[in-house]
Every structure is written in C-alpha cells, then in structure tokens.
Amino acid sequence: DAGVIQSPRHEVTEMGQEVTLRCKPISGHDYLFWYRQTMMRGLELLIYFNNNVPIDDSGMPEDRFSAKMPNASFSTLKIQPSEPRDSAVYFCASARFYGYTFGSGTRLTVV
Amino acid sequence: QKEVEQDPGPLSVPEGAIVSLNCTYSNSAFQYFMWYRQYSRKGPELLMYTYSSGNKEDGRFTAQVDKSSKYISLFIRDSQPSDSATYLCAMRKNNNAGNMLTFGGGTRLMVKP
C-alpha cells in the first residue's frame, strides 16, 4: 500500500493566485480529513468527508477555502485567492476505523 | 485555555535516557488516547493507542493514562537518536474514526548521540 499520497509536496505562489492541493486516500478508507499545521496553531482540522460526503467544514477558515471529494480515491483543497497567512503545511489523512494515516503534506508558501 | 495542553519543548536528552512526554486535558469525555510521532517534513504516524486508564507497552514505548488526573504520558526507554521527532498526543470521545481527534501542540524531542 502506497499510503496517503499528496501533491504537490511544495508549492510557492504569489498572493492572489489560486492554489489546488490534491490527495489520494488509502483504498478502502471511508473517512478523509484535511488538516493545516503551523508553528503557532499546531494541527487544525479544516474539513472531513465520510463516503465522499462533506460532514463538517466548520474548520474552514474562510470562503476562500473549498474542498471536494468527487470519488473515493481523490480529494482537492482549493484556496482562491491565496494570502500570505495561508502559508502552512497542509495534511490529508484517511481512516477506516480508529487510526488516521497521514500523507507527507504539502508545504504552501504564499509570497 | 486549550482542551489539550502539551509542553512544546524542545526536550534534549542523551542517548539511552528514559524520556517522559506528557499531556493534560480538560474534557472528561475523552476515552481514547493516542500518541503520534512526526519526523521533520513528514506527516504524523500513529505510535500508540490506548483506551481509558492504565498502561500499554510496545517495545521501548509505554503509554500511560490517568483519567482521574486528566493526564497522559508516553515513556521511551533506552532512547535512540532515531527517536528524535515531534510527539503529538491526541484523544477522542469514542472509538469511531468520524469522532474527531483533538491534538496537543506537540513536544519536540532531540536525542543526542
């Protein structure tokens, strides 16, 4: 099993640009989570899906953030327009029962 | 006040030392407790998973939960340089992936050869 796959690993973009982060969960996992990690705030849950349906998006900071899961093997997190304060590491995690498996993250820098 | 508090460190120890990492929490509804290890530029990985109060041992690692004190610990015996990482505690109210994990902020551990 290749684990949770995220792309890109690094993204540097200019303020105002659209950013799309991608995630492929582990096959058979029916939960998918998007987290953001910063030194100041630690790990923050942004949104999670169950069976491709968004269940809780209360952690999404603003309308500039949106997430989709069109099928069981793919999810995207989009930021439009991006701002410097969005700079962070974004993790995707998937789960079937109790334990979460995290991807290696996307390090986003907005300049 | 955060629901889960964890000393950010860094904690620096010599190789072979016994390491104690701790978290305190405020919500008595938490029943399931986890420790994740996160290496630099990697995602967190599940290290230990325990239910309610008591101890659980796995090799050099022991997880301890004291629900009466709302305090959990992770002990690492014979620490190795490869144990250098950030350790995050996490907890939830029931044993269901859809029940959200609440994470501590993480403690950075450095084991020096």
Side-chain angles (χ1 to χ4, degrees):
Chain A
D1 192 341
V4 176
I5 299 172
Q6 291 188 247
S7 64
R9 288 298 309 273
H10 303 275
E11 178 81 34
V12 180
T13 190
E14 291 185 347
M15 183 174 63
Q17 296 297 306
E18 178 179 296
V19 176
T20 300
L21 312 180
R22 297 173 175 79
C23 175
K24 177 179 169 56
I26 292 174
S27 177
H29 282 193
D30 50 359
Y31 286 90
L32 184 138
F33 308 85
W34 282 100
Y35 281 87
R36 178 171 66 177
Q37 187 176 42
T38 60
M39 289 291 291
M40 289 295 294
R41 301 172 70 93
L43 267 174
E44 301 175 278
L45 177 65
L46 301 177
I47 184 171
Y48 83 94
F49 296 83
N50 179 218
N51 292 320
N52 314 337
V53 176
I55 302 300
D56 187 346
D57 65 354
S58 60
M60 297 284 261
E62 299 171 32
D63 290 345
R64 298 184 296 107
F65 286 69
S66 63
K68 293 182 179 180
M69 191 165 186
N71 56 62
S73 59
F74 184 66
S75 177
T76 59
L77 178 68
K78 186 176 294 186
I79 308 172
Q80 165 63 21
S82 57
E83 296 182 4
R85 60 193 167 121
D86 301 331
S87 297
V89 181
Y90 290 81
F91 287 104
C92 173
S94 70
R96 178 165 174 78
F97 298 114
Y98 56 83
Y100 294 8
T101 302
F102 284 81
S104 293
T106 294
R107 183 172 296 273
L108 174 65
T109 304
V110 183
V111 299
Chain B
Q1 185 184 3
K2 294 181 180 179
E3 264 192 307
V4 180
E5 298 279 359
Q6 192 174 2
D7 188 329
L11 177 63
S12 182
V13 301
E15 183 176 355
I18 296 174
V19 175
S20 173
L21 304 167
N22 311 295
C23 284
T24 59
Y25 62 96
S26 57
N27 191 337
S28 58
F30 289 135
Q31 299 277 355
Y32 295 84
F33 304 91
M34 281 144 271
W35 285 94
Y36 281 80
R37 178 176 61 195
Q38 185 176 18
Y39 290 116
S40 180
R41 300 188 179 274
K42 296 287 187 181
E45 57 177 333
L46 182 63
L47 195 59
M48 298 285 283
Y49 185 87
T50 57
Y51 167 67
S52 198
S53 287
N55 293 357
K56 182 177 181 178
E57 189 173 319
D58 184 0
R60 296 185 295 110
F61 298 89
T62 299
Q64 191 173 80
V65 175
D66 182 349
K67 289 190 67 183
S68 63
S69 300
K70 296 190 182 69
Y71 188 86
I72 69 171
S73 300
L74 178 70
F75 298 96
I76 307 174
R77 290 184 300 280
D78 186 25
S79 56
Q80 302 295 309
S82 58
D83 295 327
S84 298
T86 297
Y87 291 79
L88 302 104
C89 63
M91 48 199 76
R92 62 154 62 109
K93 297 172 188 175
N94 63 48
N95 195 24
N96 183 312
N99 184 250
M100 291 300 93
L101 283 177
T102 300
F103 283 90
T107 298
R108 186 177 163 211
L109 171 67
M110 295 185 294
V111 182
K112 297 185 176 180

